Amino acid sequence: MLDDLLPIVDAVGPELIVSEQAELAGPIAAARAGVPNVTHGFGSLLPEIRLGRAADAVAPLWREHGLEPRPYAGTYAHLYIHIYPPALDGGTLPPYVGSVPSRLPAVAAAPPPAD
């Protein structure tokens, strides 16, 4: 994925890159471009041990681009945003993660169409 992403980043010149929490090319591309990476979660955090192993696996990609590998594969280097309700995650996050949970207004469901 990184090989496909880097030419896009080079062509567009973004000021920010947003990537999903299990997608590890975004943090590398952001670091290479010198811009922040926002990690977007959609559920509970990945287990720390799994993310640590993933960081080890992608460390050579960081070095290949002249970058020092980041803890947790760079996923929590900047802002972490998630839509997971505090009631489901226990209301706490590990100390290595700063989070801004989404607070979307409740919307009443429309009635189903009559057949």
XYZ file of all heavy atoms in Angstrom:
844
model
N 0.823 -1.190 0.000
C 0.000 0.000 0.000
C 0.872 1.262 0.000
O 0.520 2.255 -0.626
C -0.922 -0.021 1.218
C -1.828 1.166 1.302
S -2.902 1.060 2.713
C -4.460 1.139 1.910
N 1.993 1.219 0.693
C 2.865 2.384 0.784
C 3.371 2.799 -0.594
O 3.402 3.991 -0.916
C 4.038 2.107 1.729
C 4.972 3.267 2.014
C 4.229 4.441 2.645
C 6.110 2.812 2.916
N 3.717 1.823 -1.424
C 4.207 2.140 -2.771
C 3.148 2.868 -3.605
O 3.482 3.696 -4.448
C 4.637 0.865 -3.500
C 5.917 0.276 -2.931
O 6.670 1.017 -2.256
O 6.157 -0.917 -3.146
N 1.885 2.561 -3.393
C 0.805 3.241 -4.108
C 0.485 4.604 -3.496
O 0.069 5.528 -4.200
C -0.464 2.386 -4.103
C -0.308 1.122 -4.930
O 0.476 1.132 -5.901
O -0.957 0.121 -4.604
N 0.667 4.727 -2.192
C 0.302 5.955 -1.488
C 1.321 7.077 -1.677
O 0.936 8.238 -1.846
C 0.129 5.655 0.002
C -0.261 6.812 0.906
C -1.589 7.429 0.465
C -0.366 6.326 2.354
N 2.593 6.750 -1.675
C 3.622 7.797 -1.735
C 3.537 8.692 -2.970
O 3.642 9.916 -2.834
C 5.013 7.178 -1.598
C 5.323 6.614 -0.216
C 6.699 5.966 -0.210
C 5.211 7.673 0.866
N 3.321 8.153 -4.180
C 3.192 9.059 -5.330
C 2.004 10.013 -5.210
O 2.068 11.156 -5.661
C 3.017 8.114 -6.528
C 3.546 6.806 -6.075
C 3.326 6.754 -4.589
N 0.927 9.549 -4.592
C -0.242 10.409 -4.399
C 0.100 11.541 -3.431
O -0.202 12.707 -3.680
C -1.441 9.593 -3.892
C -1.862 8.571 -4.954
C -2.609 10.509 -3.514
C -2.828 7.526 -4.466
N 0.750 11.187 -2.334
C 1.149 12.200 -1.347
C 2.111 13.194 -1.981
O 1.983 14.409 -1.793
C 1.765 11.521 -0.107
C 2.397 12.545 0.822
C 0.710 10.709 0.634
N 3.063 12.700 -2.757
C 4.013 13.603 -3.418
C 3.306 14.536 -4.393
O 3.637 15.712 -4.487
C 5.090 12.792 -4.152
C 6.031 12.071 -3.195
O 6.080 12.423 -1.998
O 6.723 11.131 -3.660
N 2.315 14.038 -5.122
C 1.606 14.855 -6.115
C 0.657 15.861 -5.477
O 0.553 16.999 -5.930
C 0.828 13.957 -7.077
N -0.017 15.457 -4.410
C -1.040 16.305 -3.791
C -0.440 17.289 -2.792
O -0.892 18.417 -2.676
C -2.123 15.424 -3.117
C -3.097 16.260 -2.314
C -2.846 14.605 -4.161
N 0.577 16.851 -2.046
C 1.167 17.719 -1.031
C 0.208 18.035 0.103
O -0.023 19.201 0.414
N -0.376 17.015 0.731
C -1.368 17.278 1.782
C -0.752 17.937 3.011
O 0.456 17.858 3.244
C -1.867 15.867 2.128
C -0.697 14.996 1.862
C -0.047 15.593 0.642
N -1.605 18.605 3.768
C -1.185 19.197 5.039
C -1.458 18.257 6.196
O -1.038 18.514 7.323
C -1.913 20.519 5.260
C -1.537 21.565 4.220
C -2.264 22.872 4.438
O -2.741 23.133 5.550
O -2.349 23.643 3.466
N -2.184 17.168 5.924
C -2.603 16.214 6.936
C -2.964 14.915 6.236
O -3.505 14.939 5.138
C -3.839 16.762 7.672
C -4.569 15.844 8.631
C -3.779 15.711 9.926
C -5.955 16.387 8.918
N -2.670 13.799 6.879
C -3.091 12.502 6.351
C -3.921 11.812 7.427
O -3.543 11.794 8.596
C -1.879 11.631 5.951
C -1.172 12.269 4.757
C -2.313 10.198 5.648
C 0.072 11.541 4.293
N -5.067 11.285 7.029
C -5.942 10.544 7.928
C -5.876 9.083 7.505
O -6.058 8.773 6.327
C -7.404 11.046 7.858
C -8.302 10.227 8.775
C -7.467 12.527 8.207
N -5.618 8.213 8.468
C -5.569 6.790 8.149
C -6.291 5.989 9.215
O -6.398 6.414 10.364
C -4.131 6.314 7.988
O -3.353 6.625 9.120
N -6.779 4.848 8.810
C -7.492 3.936 9.704
C -6.473 3.261 10.618
O -5.324 3.084 10.245
C -8.258 2.939 8.819
C -9.197 2.036 9.544
C -8.494 0.771 9.983
O -7.700 0.223 9.228
O -8.760 0.348 11.124
N -6.893 2.868 11.803
C -5.957 2.397 12.828
C -5.172 1.142 12.456
O -4.085 0.937 12.976
C -6.670 2.191 14.158
C -7.643 1.042 14.197
C -8.268 0.888 15.567
O -7.768 1.398 16.557
N -9.370 0.181 15.629
N -5.666 0.312 11.570
C -4.923 -0.889 11.185
C -4.186 -0.701 9.860
O -3.554 -1.616 9.373
C -5.865 -2.088 11.099
N -4.243 0.486 9.293
C -3.575 0.791 8.027
C -2.279 1.514 8.367
O -2.305 2.616 8.894
C -4.502 1.654 7.164
C -3.974 1.939 5.790
C -3.073 3.135 5.777
O -3.526 4.236 6.094
O -1.885 2.958 5.459
N -1.157 0.905 8.104
C 0.117 1.410 8.609
C 0.953 2.158 7.581
O 2.060 2.591 7.895
C 0.913 0.249 9.211
C 0.165 -0.520 10.306
C 1.009 -1.673 10.818
C -0.247 0.399 11.443
N 0.435 2.336 6.371
C 1.166 3.111 5.372
C 0.988 4.614 5.604
O 1.913 5.390 5.371
C 0.703 2.742 3.965
N -0.183 5.024 6.069
C -0.460 6.446 6.287
C 0.524 7.133 7.219
O 1.032 8.210 6.890
N 0.826 6.548 8.387
C 1.789 7.205 9.266
C 3.175 7.358 8.641
O 3.850 8.371 8.852
C 1.838 6.286 10.488
C 0.505 5.617 10.515
C 0.166 5.420 9.055
N 3.595 6.380 7.849
C 4.905 6.480 7.189
C 4.864 7.583 6.140
O 5.769 8.422 6.068
C 5.309 5.134 6.549
C 5.436 4.054 7.627
C 6.619 5.280 5.775
C 5.600 2.644 7.083
N 3.814 7.596 5.334
C 3.683 8.621 4.296
C 3.620 10.011 4.914
O 4.232 10.952 4.400
C 2.446 8.348 3.448
N 2.906 10.149 6.020
C 2.806 11.446 6.688
C 4.164 11.892 7.225
O 4.558 13.048 7.039
C 1.783 11.365 7.824
N 4.876 10.987 7.866
C 6.196 11.333 8.400
C 7.144 11.708 7.269
O 7.914 12.672 7.388
C 6.750 10.164 9.210
N 7.094 10.978 6.193
C 7.957 11.265 5.038
C 7.633 12.639 4.451
O 8.526 13.369 4.021
C 7.786 10.183 3.986
C 8.707 10.316 2.793
C 8.518 9.090 1.887
N 9.208 9.248 0.633
C 8.653 9.754 -0.472
N 7.397 10.153 -0.462
N 9.350 9.847 -1.585
N 6.343 13.009 4.438
C 5.916 14.303 3.898
C 6.062 15.437 4.915
O 5.873 16.602 4.573
C 4.467 14.220 3.429
N 6.349 15.081 6.182
C 6.495 16.103 7.217
C 5.182 16.704 7.673
O 5.128 17.863 8.089
N 4.108 15.906 7.585
C 2.792 16.385 8.010
C 2.241 15.464 9.093
O 2.664 14.311 9.215
C 1.798 16.465 6.824
C 2.312 17.444 5.766
C 1.523 15.106 6.219
N 1.294 15.942 9.902
C 0.704 15.078 10.931
C -0.164 13.981 10.328
O -0.683 14.123 9.223
C -0.151 16.023 11.774
C -0.067 17.359 11.167
C 0.796 17.298 9.956
N -0.300 12.926 11.082
C -1.165 11.807 10.723
C -2.238 11.683 11.792
O -1.923 11.569 12.975
C -0.364 10.514 10.656
C -1.244 9.328 10.346
O -1.775 9.212 9.255
N -1.419 8.445 11.312
N -3.484 11.717 11.376
C -4.593 11.473 12.291
C -5.029 10.034 12.086
O -5.269 9.605 10.960
C -5.775 12.428 12.011
C -6.997 12.051 12.847
C -5.368 13.863 12.283
N -5.094 9.297 13.164
C -5.545 7.913 13.091
C -7.014 7.873 13.455
O -7.417 8.409 14.480
C -4.730 7.024 14.048
O -3.354 7.106 13.683
C -5.191 5.584 13.987
N -7.805 7.230 12.593
C -9.246 7.116 12.823
C -9.571 5.683 13.187
O -9.307 4.764 12.433
C -10.007 7.513 11.559
C -11.485 7.483 11.737
N -12.226 6.320 11.686
C -12.360 8.469 12.001
C -13.490 6.597 11.903
N -13.600 7.899 12.090
N -10.133 5.506 14.375
C -10.568 4.192 14.806
C -12.051 4.025 14.560
O -12.792 4.998 14.446
N -12.477 2.805 14.449
C -13.892 2.527 14.226
C -14.445 1.604 15.295
O -15.613 1.257 15.279
C -14.114 1.914 12.841
C -13.296 0.680 12.609
C -13.745 -0.555 13.018
C -12.060 0.776 12.014
C -12.980 -1.690 12.826
C -11.289 -0.353 11.809
C -11.751 -1.587 12.221
N -13.634 1.209 16.215
C -14.044 0.311 17.291
C -13.026 0.400 18.409
O -12.339 1.410 18.543
N -12.904 -0.659 19.165
C -11.936 -0.635 20.252
C -10.522 -0.591 19.685
O -10.290 -0.924 18.522
C -12.121 -1.857 21.151
O -11.900 -3.035 20.416
N -9.580 -0.172 20.512
C -8.188 -0.101 20.085
C -7.650 -1.483 19.760
O -8.063 -2.483 20.351
C -7.329 0.494 21.206
C -7.541 1.958 21.515
C -6.712 2.349 22.728
C -7.161 2.812 20.326
N -6.712 -1.508 18.836
C -6.019 -2.758 18.574
C -5.231 -3.129 19.822
O -4.685 -2.251 20.494
C -5.058 -2.589 17.396
C -5.695 -2.291 16.049
C -4.616 -2.019 15.009
C -6.571 -3.441 15.609
N -5.129 -4.409 20.142
C -4.337 -4.800 21.309
C -2.897 -4.305 21.178
O -2.299 -4.367 20.098
C -4.404 -6.330 21.290
C -5.648 -6.643 20.526
C -5.773 -5.548 19.502
N -2.358 -3.800 22.275
C -1.019 -3.217 22.274
C 0.028 -4.196 21.741
O 0.906 -3.812 20.969
C -0.658 -2.752 23.680
C 0.641 -2.000 23.753
C 0.910 -1.420 25.127
O 0.116 -1.630 26.051
O 1.943 -0.754 25.264
N -0.080 -5.457 22.116
C 0.912 -6.436 21.653
C 0.831 -6.633 20.134
O 1.840 -6.753 19.452
C 0.788 -7.774 22.409
C 1.993 -8.649 22.099
C -0.519 -8.473 22.074
C 2.167 -9.813 23.052
N -0.375 -6.631 19.586
C -0.539 -6.794 18.135
C 0.033 -5.588 17.396
O 0.722 -5.724 16.388
C -2.010 -6.970 17.781
C -2.209 -7.256 16.295
C -3.647 -7.409 15.902
N -4.314 -8.425 16.707
C -5.631 -8.559 16.767
N -6.406 -7.754 16.079
N -6.175 -9.487 17.504
N -0.235 -4.399 17.902
C 0.280 -3.195 17.265
C 1.800 -3.119 17.392
O 2.490 -2.674 16.478
C -0.381 -1.955 17.859
C -0.272 -0.682 17.063
C -0.643 -0.871 15.601
C -1.125 0.401 17.677
N 2.338 -3.601 18.514
C 3.789 -3.651 18.678
C 4.437 -4.574 17.662
O 5.479 -4.255 17.084
N 3.819 -5.704 17.425
C 4.346 -6.644 16.420
C 4.222 -6.059 15.018
O 5.112 -6.239 14.179
C 3.619 -7.978 16.517
C 3.996 -8.745 17.763
C 3.254 -10.044 17.866
N 3.620 -10.733 19.093
C 2.850 -11.586 19.723
N 1.653 -11.887 19.237
N 3.258 -12.164 20.820
N 3.130 -5.374 14.757
C 2.963 -4.729 13.455
C 4.022 -3.644 13.264
O 4.584 -3.499 12.170
C 1.559 -4.138 13.332
N 4.321 -2.903 14.328
C 5.358 -1.866 14.259
C 6.707 -2.489 13.913
O 7.470 -1.936 13.111
C 5.434 -1.103 15.574
N 7.003 -3.627 14.510
C 8.251 -4.331 14.198
C 8.278 -4.752 12.728
O 9.314 -4.667 12.068
C 8.422 -5.569 15.084
C 8.677 -5.227 16.548
O 9.035 -4.059 16.843
O 8.504 -6.124 17.397
N 7.131 -5.201 12.228
C 7.052 -5.678 10.842
C 7.254 -4.543 9.835
O 7.826 -4.758 8.761
C 5.719 -6.372 10.591
N 6.765 -3.338 10.147
C 6.893 -2.223 9.199
C 8.119 -1.347 9.466
O 8.388 -0.434 8.682
C 5.616 -1.351 9.132
C 4.425 -2.156 8.651
C 5.336 -0.665 10.451
N 8.869 -1.631 10.508
C 10.072 -0.841 10.810
C 11.025 -0.744 9.616
O 11.562 0.345 9.349
C 10.780 -1.394 12.044
N 11.236 -1.831 8.859
C 12.106 -1.690 7.684
C 11.586 -0.692 6.647
O 12.378 -0.030 5.968
C 12.144 -3.109 7.095
C 11.846 -4.012 8.246
C 10.869 -3.231 9.094
N 10.266 -0.543 6.536
C 9.710 0.435 5.601
C 10.025 1.858 6.053
O 10.313 2.728 5.227
C 8.199 0.247 5.459
C 7.747 -1.056 4.803
C 6.227 -1.184 4.878
C 8.232 -1.124 3.367
N 9.946 2.100 7.353
C 10.324 3.414 7.874
C 11.779 3.711 7.507
O 12.093 4.777 6.978
C 10.135 3.469 9.393
C 8.719 3.552 9.846
C 7.824 2.529 9.966
C 8.015 4.731 10.234
N 6.614 2.999 10.415
C 6.706 4.348 10.596
C 8.368 6.074 10.334
C 5.764 5.260 11.033
C 7.416 6.989 10.781
C 6.135 6.574 11.118
N 12.650 2.749 7.817
C 14.080 2.953 7.567
C 14.381 3.102 6.074
O 15.260 3.881 5.698
C 14.868 1.791 8.164
C 14.857 1.797 9.675
C 15.779 0.725 10.252
N 15.611 0.691 11.696
C 14.857 -0.199 12.336
N 14.219 -1.162 11.667
N 14.743 -0.161 13.645
N 13.654 2.369 5.235
C 13.841 2.451 3.789
C 13.634 3.875 3.281
O 14.222 4.282 2.280
C 12.838 1.502 3.116
C 12.899 1.468 1.609
C 11.853 0.519 1.045
O 11.695 -0.591 1.588
O 11.176 0.909 0.073
N 12.818 4.647 3.992
C 12.538 6.025 3.597
C 13.282 7.038 4.464
O 12.917 8.216 4.517
C 11.021 6.267 3.614
C 10.339 5.469 2.560
N 10.317 5.847 1.239
C 9.715 4.266 2.610
C 9.693 4.932 0.530
N 9.316 3.962 1.335
N 14.330 6.560 5.145
C 15.182 7.457 5.927
C 14.544 7.949 7.207
O 14.933 8.994 7.735
N 13.575 7.205 7.723
C 12.846 7.606 8.927
C 13.122 6.636 10.065
O 13.299 5.438 9.831
C 11.337 7.635 8.649
C 10.883 8.555 7.519
C 9.458 8.217 7.115
C 11.011 10.005 7.943
N 13.135 7.144 11.251
C 13.254 6.293 12.432
C 11.872 5.715 12.739
O 10.893 6.458 12.813
C 13.748 7.115 13.629
C 14.064 6.310 14.852
C 15.151 5.262 14.650
O 16.082 5.498 13.844
O 15.069 4.208 15.301
N 11.764 4.391 12.877
C 10.451 3.804 13.187
C 9.850 4.417 14.447
O 10.560 4.707 15.405
C 10.763 2.321 13.397
C 12.029 2.105 12.642
C 12.802 3.386 12.764
N 8.561 4.617 14.429
C 7.848 5.233 15.552
C 7.184 4.165 16.414
O 6.795 3.106 15.910
C 6.764 6.176 15.025
C 7.262 7.219 14.053
C 7.645 8.507 14.756
N 8.326 9.426 13.881
C 7.743 10.345 13.124
N 6.441 10.458 13.110
N 8.458 11.144 12.373
N 7.017 4.452 17.683
C 6.265 3.513 18.535
C 4.859 3.302 17.984
O 4.255 4.235 17.435
C 6.211 4.224 19.890
C 7.325 5.218 19.857
C 7.492 5.612 18.408
N 4.363 2.111 18.124
C 3.009 1.749 17.669
C 2.817 2.033 16.178
O 1.730 2.398 15.746
C 1.942 2.437 18.523
C 2.136 2.196 19.989
C 2.601 3.200 20.820
C 1.905 0.938 20.538
C 2.815 2.960 22.172
C 2.118 0.692 21.874
C 2.576 1.703 22.692
O 2.801 1.465 24.021
N 3.896 1.897 15.421
C 3.887 2.087 13.963
C 3.453 3.498 13.560
O 3.007 3.723 12.449
C 3.026 1.032 13.282
N 3.554 4.446 14.490
C 3.193 5.826 14.190
C 1.714 6.119 14.270
O 1.292 7.244 14.035
N 0.902 5.128 14.628
C -0.547 5.329 14.609
C -1.035 6.317 15.659
O -2.087 6.916 15.477
C -1.298 3.997 14.789
O -0.869 3.388 15.997
C -1.049 3.069 13.625
N -0.309 6.479 16.744
C -0.750 7.394 17.796
C 0.225 8.560 17.964
O 0.263 9.194 19.002
C -0.909 6.652 19.122
C -1.813 5.446 19.019
C -1.394 4.198 19.443
C -3.089 5.557 18.478
C -2.232 3.092 19.338
C -3.923 4.458 18.370
C -3.484 3.230 18.805
O -4.321 2.146 18.699
N 0.990 8.851 16.913
C 1.972 9.933 17.004
C 1.317 11.302 17.110
O 1.876 12.224 17.670
C 2.908 9.894 15.796
N 0.137 11.435 16.559
C -0.568 12.711 16.604
C -1.943 12.484 17.215
O -2.049 11.973 18.309
C -0.618 13.330 15.198
C 0.741 13.636 14.664
N 1.360 12.862 13.718
C 1.624 14.606 14.977
C 2.567 13.338 13.476
N 2.751 14.399 14.227
N -2.976 12.810 16.509
C -4.330 12.729 17.043
C -4.963 11.380 16.719
O -4.781 10.838 15.629
C -5.172 13.851 16.444
C -6.614 13.985 16.903
C -6.689 14.307 18.388
C -7.302 15.080 16.100
N -5.721 10.843 17.656
C -6.491 9.613 17.446
C -7.958 9.975 17.631
O -8.348 10.532 18.648
C -6.081 8.549 18.457
C -6.902 7.280 18.359
C -6.665 6.347 17.375
C -7.928 7.033 19.255
C -7.423 5.192 17.280
C -8.698 5.875 19.169
C -8.433 4.962 18.174
O -9.186 3.828 18.086
N -8.765 9.683 16.622
C -10.199 9.961 16.662
C -10.931 8.639 16.510
O -10.555 7.811 15.687
C -10.616 10.898 15.512
C -9.892 12.231 15.632
C -12.124 11.108 15.490
C -10.099 13.150 14.455
N -11.958 8.452 17.321
C -12.727 7.223 17.170
C -14.207 7.495 17.356
O -14.606 8.493 17.925
C -12.250 6.142 18.155
C -12.595 6.435 19.589
N -13.696 5.902 20.194
C -11.986 7.190 20.513
C -13.752 6.324 21.454
N -12.728 7.107 21.658
N -15.013 6.575 16.840
C -16.461 6.699 16.941
C -17.035 5.677 17.915
O -18.240 5.531 18.008
C -17.123 6.559 15.557
C -16.792 5.204 14.926
C -16.715 7.696 14.641
C -17.552 4.901 13.647
N -16.164 5.004 18.618
C -16.578 3.967 19.553
C -17.125 4.627 20.818
O -16.429 5.404 21.461
C -15.365 3.107 19.881
C -15.661 1.684 20.252
C -16.430 0.866 19.446
C -15.125 1.137 21.405
C -16.665 -0.451 19.774
C -15.353 -0.186 21.742
C -16.117 -0.973 20.924
O -16.353 -2.274 21.242
N -18.356 4.348 21.195
C -18.934 5.009 22.365
C -18.202 4.635 23.653
O -17.800 3.479 23.827
C -20.374 4.465 22.413
C -20.603 3.760 21.143
C -19.279 3.431 20.543
N -18.010 5.598 24.551
C -17.335 5.307 25.820
C -17.984 4.161 26.591
O -17.302 3.420 27.291
C -17.433 6.619 26.591
C -17.566 7.661 25.535
C -18.341 7.009 24.424
N -19.293 3.987 26.441
C -19.967 2.895 27.152
C -19.451 1.533 26.705
O -19.511 0.570 27.465
C -21.472 2.977 26.934
N -18.946 1.436 25.485
C -18.439 0.167 24.985
C -16.950 -0.020 25.237
O -16.471 -1.137 25.296
C -18.735 0.013 23.491
C -20.214 -0.074 23.123
C -20.374 -0.170 21.617
C -20.867 -1.275 23.800
N -16.200 1.084 25.342
C -14.772 0.926 25.585
C -14.423 1.078 27.054
O -13.263 1.111 27.434
C -13.931 1.870 24.718
C -13.973 3.323 25.163
O -14.540 3.622 26.228
O -13.428 4.168 24.445
N -15.434 1.134 27.909
C -15.186 1.268 29.337
C -14.895 2.695 29.762
O -14.628 2.965 30.921
N -14.898 3.618 28.804
C -14.661 5.019 29.133
C -13.205 5.360 29.379
O -12.895 6.468 29.757
N -12.319 4.403 29.166
C -10.893 4.690 29.387
C -10.093 4.225 28.186
O -10.455 3.284 27.488
C -10.368 3.965 30.639
O -10.504 2.560 30.440
C -11.133 4.382 31.886
N -9.017 4.897 27.926
C -8.073 4.510 26.895
C -6.708 4.360 27.547
O -6.428 5.003 28.561
C -8.009 5.571 25.795
C -9.242 5.692 24.914
C -9.114 6.907 24.007
C -9.422 4.436 24.082
N -5.839 3.533 26.987
C -4.498 3.388 27.548
C -3.772 4.728 27.566
O -4.089 5.620 26.770
C -3.815 2.409 26.586
C -4.918 1.720 25.871
C -6.068 2.683 25.841
N -2.784 4.892 28.432
C -2.101 6.182 28.556
C -1.332 6.608 27.316
O -1.011 7.763 27.166
C -1.151 5.969 29.730
C -1.019 4.494 29.881
C -2.284 3.902 29.361
N -1.072 5.696 26.380
C -0.328 6.070 25.185
C -1.225 6.629 24.091
O -0.761 6.962 23.014
C 0.491 4.890 24.646
C -0.316 3.653 24.296
C -0.892 3.489 23.044
C -0.498 2.650 25.224
C -1.635 2.379 22.733
C -1.230 1.521 24.915
C -1.794 1.384 23.667
O -2.518 0.272 23.378
N -2.519 6.754 24.347
C -3.453 7.228 23.327
C -4.206 8.448 23.824
O -4.796 8.423 24.893
C -4.477 6.120 22.965
C -5.503 6.654 21.974
C -3.780 4.905 22.406
N -4.167 9.514 23.046
C -5.032 10.654 23.287
C -6.185 10.534 22.308
O -5.966 10.249 21.142
N -7.392 10.725 22.729
C -8.540 10.457 21.867
C -9.531 11.600 21.877
O -9.698 12.279 22.874
C -9.238 9.185 22.349
O -10.399 8.953 21.611
N -10.185 11.790 20.744
C -11.286 12.730 20.628
C -12.467 11.931 20.095
O -12.569 11.666 18.900
C -10.953 13.880 19.659
C -12.137 14.811 19.519
C -9.718 14.623 20.120
N -13.351 11.452 20.978
C -14.482 10.672 20.480
C -15.451 11.546 19.693
O -15.621 12.717 19.978
C -15.138 10.120 21.734
C -14.584 10.893 22.866
C -13.317 11.559 22.409
N -16.043 10.951 18.710
C -17.029 11.635 17.886
C -18.316 11.808 18.685
O -18.747 10.911 19.385
C -17.266 10.794 16.634
O -18.478 11.113 16.053
N -18.933 12.962 18.576
C -20.212 13.224 19.253
C -21.219 13.688 18.216
O -21.522 14.866 18.084
C -20.045 14.293 20.332
C -19.062 13.936 21.405
C -19.659 12.902 22.334
N -18.719 12.638 23.407
C -18.521 11.451 23.928
N -19.190 10.419 23.486
N -17.660 11.279 24.893
N -21.701 12.743 17.433
C -22.685 13.084 16.402
C -24.062 13.161 17.024
O -24.389 12.394 17.912
C -22.664 12.028 15.295
C -21.346 11.889 14.551
C -21.426 10.730 13.556
C -20.987 13.170 13.832
N -24.894 14.098 16.586
C -26.236 14.208 17.148
C -27.071 12.987 16.783
O -26.912 12.391 15.719
C -26.809 15.462 16.507
C -26.016 15.643 15.257
C -24.645 15.072 15.525
N -27.940 12.619 17.689
C -28.843 11.501 17.419
C -29.836 11.916 16.351
O -30.328 13.037 16.333
C -29.573 11.098 18.704
N -30.122 11.014 15.445
C -31.067 11.271 14.369
C -32.150 10.209 14.426
O -31.852 9.026 14.508
C -30.359 11.235 12.998
C -31.348 11.428 11.875
C -29.264 12.275 12.939
N -33.399 10.650 14.428
C -34.510 9.688 14.469
C -34.539 8.915 13.160
O -34.362 9.472 12.078
C -35.813 10.421 14.672
N -34.745 7.631 13.277
C -34.813 6.777 12.097
C -36.112 7.034 11.355
O -37.174 7.205 11.957
C -34.718 5.315 12.501
N -36.028 7.060 10.056
C -37.227 7.224 9.233
C -38.000 5.910 9.233
O -37.396 4.845 9.318
C -36.837 7.612 7.820
N -39.309 5.978 9.148
C -40.072 4.726 9.093
C -39.732 3.984 7.806
O -39.418 4.598 6.794
C -41.519 5.166 9.132
C -41.503 6.592 8.714
C -40.152 7.141 9.086
N -39.815 2.664 7.843
C -39.525 1.885 6.633
C -40.568 2.177 5.552
O -41.724 2.501 5.864
C -39.591 0.435 7.091
C -40.377 0.460 8.354
C -40.198 1.809 8.961
N -40.172 2.097 4.291
C -41.147 2.356 3.228
C -42.235 1.293 3.209
O -41.993 0.146 3.515
C -40.295 2.309 1.937
C -39.061 1.558 2.316
C -38.857 1.751 3.793
N -43.425 1.727 2.875
C -44.547 0.779 2.771
C -44.422 0.032 1.449
O -44.179 0.633 0.404
C -45.875 1.526 2.832
N -44.581 -1.268 1.501
C -44.491 -2.089 0.269
C -45.844 -2.280 -0.343
O -46.860 -2.380 0.163
C -43.862 -3.445 0.556
C -42.371 -3.313 0.815
O -41.783 -2.279 0.445
O -41.807 -4.253 1.382
